[in-house]
Amino acid sequence: MSFLFLKVHPPKDIRSDLRPISLTPTLAKKFESFVGAWILECIEDKLDRDQFGALRRRSTVHALISMTHLCSCALDKGDSARVLFIDYAFDHVDHTILLNKLISLDVPHCLVKWMFSFLNGRRQS
């Protein structure tokens, strides 16, 4: 199901002031959460301990606390501190890189095939 989402309010030109969005059906969302949990179960122990996004019991608050702690420790020692936060939307990740990463993390072949089937023919934004 597709809708149009306002880029500017009020829209003046339908060609440039609206962008299409898609709504995922409820059943697909449930299946997505099942597959996501399965993949996470396969790779969770292989992720960097400073990974905060998309993990249970981890949030942006944890990321901010960790960053604040690291900066405070560096400043206490007289060092400098630099921080960079990057939030990649899924549609900005190259599909080939994603699938190869899943393979390298020993995600079951059936899940990698399913992801390939899902991503095949989809356009990257």
Side-chain angles (χ1 to χ4, degrees):
M1 184 180 299
S2 291
F3 294 93
L4 293 175
F5 183 73
L6 295 176
K7 289 184 187 178
V8 296
H9 188 72
K12 294 179 177 57
D13 183 354
I14 196 166
R15 291 173 300 230
S16 63
D17 294 346
L18 299 173
R19 70 173 167 225
I21 59 168
S22 296
L23 297 179
T24 305
T26 303
L27 186 58
K29 286 182 187 179
K30 287 293 181 191
F31 187 69
E32 181 183 286
S33 71
F34 169 73
V35 170
W38 189 6
I39 291 172
L40 187 58
E41 185 179 305
C42 296
I43 67 170
E44 196 166 24
D45 62 326
K46 300 169 187 158
L47 297 176
D48 188 300
R49 68 177 195 83
D50 291 326
Q51 166 72 34
F52 295 96
L55 295 177
R56 289 175 286 222
R57 299 176 301 278
R58 295 273 184 125
S59 69
T60 53
V61 172
H62 292 103
L64 291 170
I65 291 169
S66 175
M67 181 262 327
T68 303
H69 174 71
L70 290 172
C71 288
S72 296
C73 289
L75 295 174
D76 286 346
K77 294 178 194 173
D79 295 335
S80 63
R82 295 182 190 117
V83 177
L84 173 67
F85 282 92
I86 299 174
D87 183 14
Y88 283 107
F90 182 73
D91 59 351
H92 288 87
V93 175
D94 182 273
H95 298 159
T96 304
I97 293 171
L98 173 65
L99 293 168
N100 285 327
K101 188 65 172 182
L102 291 174
I103 291 167
S104 74
L105 291 170
D106 296 323
V107 170
H109 186 65
C110 61
L111 282 176
V112 175
K113 283 178 62 175
W114 182 85
M115 288 290 290
F116 174 78
S117 174
F118 177 78
L119 295 171
N120 190 30
R122 293 189 185 256
R123 199 170 62 92
Q124 204 173 317
S125 298

